[in-house]
Amino acid sequence: MLDFGYPVLTILIAFPLVAACGLFFLRAPQVVRYYTMAVSLIECLLAVPLMGFKLNADFQFVEKIDWVHQWGLQYYLGVDGISILMVLLTIAVLPLCVMCSWTYIGKREKEFHFCLLFMTSSVLGVFCALDLVLFYVFWEAMLIPMYLLIAVWGGDDRKYASLKFFLYTLAGSTLLLAAIVAFRVTGGTFSIPDLMQMNFSFRFQFWAFLAMALAFAIKVPMFPFHTWLPAAHVQAPSAGSVILAAVLLKMGTYGFLRFCLPLTPAASEYFAPMMIAISIVSILYGGAIALGQSDIKKLVAYSSVGHMGFVTLGIFLFNQRGVEGALFQMLNHGIVTGALFMMIGAVYERSHSREISKNMGLGKYLPAFMFFWGLMALASFGFPGTNGFVGEILVFIGAFQDSPYIGMFLVPGALLGAAYMFRVSLKLAWGKPSTAKAWRDLNAREWIYLTIPAVFVLWIGLAPTPFFKIIDPSIDKLLNDFDKRKVASVETEQPMQTAAAHVLSIVADNQ
Amino acid sequence: MNFHITALVPELFFFCIVLALMVQSLGTKEWKPPVERWLPFGSCAAFFVAITGFHLSGSMFWDVYKVDLMSQFFKIVLAFGFYVTVLNASRQPTLEEGKRADYYMLLGFSTLGLMMLSSAVELITIYLALELASYSMYAVIPLRAKDKGAAEAGIKYIMFGAVATALALYGLSYIMATQHTTYIAELMNKSWSFADQPMAVVGLSLFLGGMFFKLALFPFHFWCPDVYQGASNETAAFVATMPKMGAIVVLCRLAVLLKPGLEITTILAVLGAASMTFGNLSALVQTDLKRLLGFSSVAHAGYIMVGLVSGTPEGIGAAAFYGMAYLVMNLLVFWIVCRVASDGRNLKLSDLNGLYKKAPVLAFSLAAGAFALVGLPPTMGFMGKFFLITSAWDHGYNWLVITLVVNSAIAIYYYLSLFRHAFTEESEPSQAAPPDNGWFASAGAGMLAAAVLIIGMIPAPLFNFAINAGKTLYGITVTMAGGHH
């Protein structure tokens, strides 16, 4: 079933990992950097066959090999419209990460680049896996390099932040493993496309949804599971923050789209009000906290909580516009926040501080930097013409379609976004200059790694149609299946009125 | 009496090695036998002999001794474990020169006892084999020159061991009195419900107590951290792994008696849950590395119970696979402990600081071992845990699976601290001996780490073997071609 005659996904996943092993034979830090840069560019070239993606809802580039026959495990890969953009985003972020750490990382360069490549492999695996256990393997494998990125190359408080990150995310995902096993025992298979065809009882869906949603909510992160994120972002080196913001957080929302909606439709519907409420709290809370930050990186980290709230909100609206908006926001947030973190890294290299007050007056002395910052700030709060607008407006439309009340709650969220971004941008651009006089504006390397996201910001903002063509068939199928199977599940079993009643009934059954 | 000498080749080969060691140990102090020159090769050969004997089968000595897939699986694992412990102990700094041959002889006898234990299918034979495996341990544990803790550890092990054995024997008498047989095959057909046979259930519980002692399952684990701490690092590596395999194989054989829902099964499940929780919580606060590993092994004993209570061939296969995984992972971690403590001292967590700089291969292997013990993919620890919970889910013990999962989350903290100290902390200059960073140390650690990773990614062949072994216990015919029907 290979569309291309050669296993493009396996090569994409395996190449960075294999190439990473080559790092151990290198000595000089500069050679390590050039080598990794070359690897990341080759990885981009290897992704070219993905351009043959057909605009339909099927899983494509499928590879399927028996892994552990006795337990029905398969090495099963494939991408559809939902995952292919994430795959491309991950691959595109890699060279940018290498570039933005070129002078930033001054110790243990080999290990650093090894972690970057390892991480890319495992994240790609997460987006490509169509077997639940394979998915879990990649999902967990990503933790170790990320932990190291924060714990070794991070800021002063890196140990605390890395431990918090590790414990939070791993504790969440252990329950995901329990859910995966439950799916196998109930559905008889680990294959995600097969499980998507099955109807599970509401009771089963109820628990499976809770177990999965916890893991995903921690990863997204949704309020109140977000506390690891600001700590991790602030302490991580630039490249770590970029990967964290651009792709890692997407794993959580991707999980909602790939597992919760198709596998547990009735429970998703049942829990949707709660998820929507939490999303709105995340948006308002993230925005409000961001408004009060004096540390630029913390500000952007909290803004991520808010932006990801838009994504989860869009997903749990269950309408075309909402889910489209969510997917767009996933992509946008990856590009824009990734770029913002790279710029924070660039400014940190100049001032050795992330305080807003110590980085003021850049408008006069670093005009090119300020140009990119302005563009990204506009995109971040959804200014028309930028990519942020496309995603946010879709979520807005979806929300108002669903209920005007939800829509009304979003308005202050969007305003908050504008407020904190304007506040920080004004200060950075026109604040009383600190020591900025002595700094140099962007160098060639910085120009390159900021121009690429900038192009995408404008491309998606002005002409998003090609992207719609990729994601729409898959979203149509997702929502059609969702509506059908939601009804099927409800017909097979009467849903409970409240969670408490549900628990009580189980207790009663067991007696 | 039916007797096929060919079916006993692995044991006989091993017996010859032990005899040779015995002869050497009789030599005078002046005659220094070059044990380390030949024993690694001998034990390596024993490992390959065990592998070639995997297809052997037969039943002998009035059916008390059964050579089947389960026994052969464990013999291979035990032979491998012995090989690694011999290599590991070959540079043991705390052992007096004149005692080297004796040391290996005692380890060899214990291993031979464990091999016989894996073939014993009758309770009295199990008891005898268990004693053979235990007696040499009683002598080996205090063998740590000039260390008072070693004597304490030895006494603790003997006292606990004696009590556990006495309990097992007492339980055995109950089983004989009520069920009128000691053959596991016949016991399978008897009732094990408390309502029908209360005495038998009590007896079996007591008998299992003897195994729990070896396995260090709560509440029979109290010896474990102290003995690990008191014994030399190399001895601890043996005690931490090999006797557990013996206990696991007996429990696998006895697990065919257990049906989900029986009182005795519930006891096992509850003990398993208590063991995981207690072991993990106690390990959280340890700073002595071997004590930490001791409490973690209490937790792992609990994990293995998850496979045993399901009452299916898959469950037993999963338990056997996890046992093997546990042996390899633990030997790996102990290998590094022994190499880092190159002067034979007890290690604190802080002694691992900056290991990545001093000995990168050891540090990397330690990471593989620690993450395997946590159960992170792609290691064999993950696959082992995954098989365990898949086998137990939906057999009435979902709560036990959830307990395991939650406990894994707790365990992350202290295993991660091994990794954390090795990779993210910087070492301060100290007087302690530097880690052994030679090619031998690195190669051993690297090979074991590779095994942990490779079996984690490609577990199918070994797992097929384990699951077929499980099926034979239930009398299900298996084709040796593997699992691809």
Side-chain angles (χ1 to χ4, degrees), chain B residues 137-473:
Chain B
M137 295 319 305
Y138 297 149
V140 162
I141 285 171
L143 275 185
R144 189 185 198 184
K146 303 179 195 96
D147 193 305
K148 280 180 195 154
E152 183 197 329
I155 291 170
K156 269 194 180 141
Y157 196 67
I158 294 173
M159 296 301 284
F160 273 103
V163 172
T165 318
L167 284 180
L169 202 56
Y170 188 53
L172 179 59
S173 70
Y174 273 23
I175 298 175
M176 281 170 78
T178 49
Q179 306 282 33
H180 311 292
T181 179
T182 52
Y183 286 88
I184 294 177
E186 290 173 28
L187 288 171
M188 249 178 108
N189 304 320
K190 309 271 180 182
S191 166
W192 290 97
S193 150
F194 193 77
D196 299 339
Q197 293 283 11
M199 296 287 272
V201 173
V202 172
L204 185 61
S205 311
L206 288 173
F207 188 78
L208 287 174
M211 304 303 139
F212 295 160
F213 162 73
K214 283 280 168 208
L215 194 60
L217 188 80
F218 178 88
F220 300 87
H221 70 281
F222 286 103
W223 60 272
C224 177
D226 294 333
V227 168
Y228 282 21
Q229 194 182 15
S232 73
N233 295 331
E234 288 77 4
T235 314
F238 186 91
V239 181
T241 50
M242 302 284 276
K244 302 215 158 126
M245 294 305 110
I248 292 169
V249 66
V250 173
L251 287 171
C252 281
R253 288 197 185 277
L254 289 175
V256 297
L257 309 178
L258 308 172
K259 303 281 176 296
L262 282 178
E263 291 84 357
I264 187 106
T265 321
T266 310
I267 291 175
L268 282 189
V270 169
L271 286 184
S275 201
M276 294 174 210
T277 314
F278 181 85
N280 279 325
L281 291 180
S282 311
L284 283 181
V285 294
Q286 303 302 324
T287 52
D288 184 297
L289 206 49
K290 279 193 288 174
R291 276 190 87 78
L292 186 150
L293 289 170
F295 280 112
S296 97
S297 78
V298 176
H300 281 274
Y303 298 158
I304 286 169
M305 290 300 129
V306 177
L308 296 176
V309 295
S310 71
T312 56
E314 284 79 14
I316 292 181
F321 183 87
Y322 197 77
M324 182 208 61
Y326 179 68
L327 177 120
V328 179
M329 308 184 288
N330 231 11
L331 280 178
L332 169 59
V333 175
F334 268 104
W335 181 280
I336 290 144
V337 170
C338 296
R339 300 282 95 75
V340 174
S342 55
D343 54 355
R345 68 187 190 279
N346 273 5
L347 288 184
K348 298 271 173 218
L349 272 176
S350 54
D351 287 328
L352 292 174
N353 286 359
L355 188 65
Y356 77 91
K357 213 178 258 174
K358 289 183 259 177
V361 180
L362 291 189
F364 171 76
S365 309
L366 180 71
F371 286 127
L373 286 166
V374 181
L376 268 190
T379 62
M380 66 199 297
F382 167 71
M383 276 300 161
K385 253 184 203 164
F386 171 75
F387 293 143
L388 282 178
I389 62 179
T390 313
S391 70
W393 192 265
D394 234 21
H395 285 89
Y397 291 101
N398 290 2
W399 63 269
L400 188 60
V401 172
I402 300 292
T403 316
L404 191 157
V405 163
V406 171
N407 264 290
S408 301
I410 300 174
I412 295 157
Y413 181 82
Y414 62 86
Y415 286 125
L416 186 67
S417 70
L418 297 181
F419 179 70
R420 206 157 46 96
H421 280 279
F423 277 87
T424 67
E425 305 271 347
E426 299 295 333
S427 64
E428 284 148 20
S430 71
Q431 300 298 316
D436 172 7
N437 197 13
W439 68 268
F440 175 76
S442 303
M447 305 268 242
L448 285 170
V452 163
L453 291 174
I454 291 171
I455 301 175
M457 285 185 262
I458 313 167
L462 273 170
F463 185 69
N464 282 341
F465 194 5
I467 206 166
N468 285 340
K471 282 181 183 165
T472 51
L473 288 192

Side-chain angles (χ1 to χ4, degrees), chain A residues 67 70-71 108 147 170 174, chain B residues 356 390 420 457 463-464:
Chain A
W67 184 18
Q70 301 274 6
W71 238 280
R108 294 167 78 180
Y147 168 79
L170 194 46
T174 42
Chain B
Y356 77 91
T390 313
R420 206 157 46 96
M457 285 185 262
F463 185 69
N464 282 341

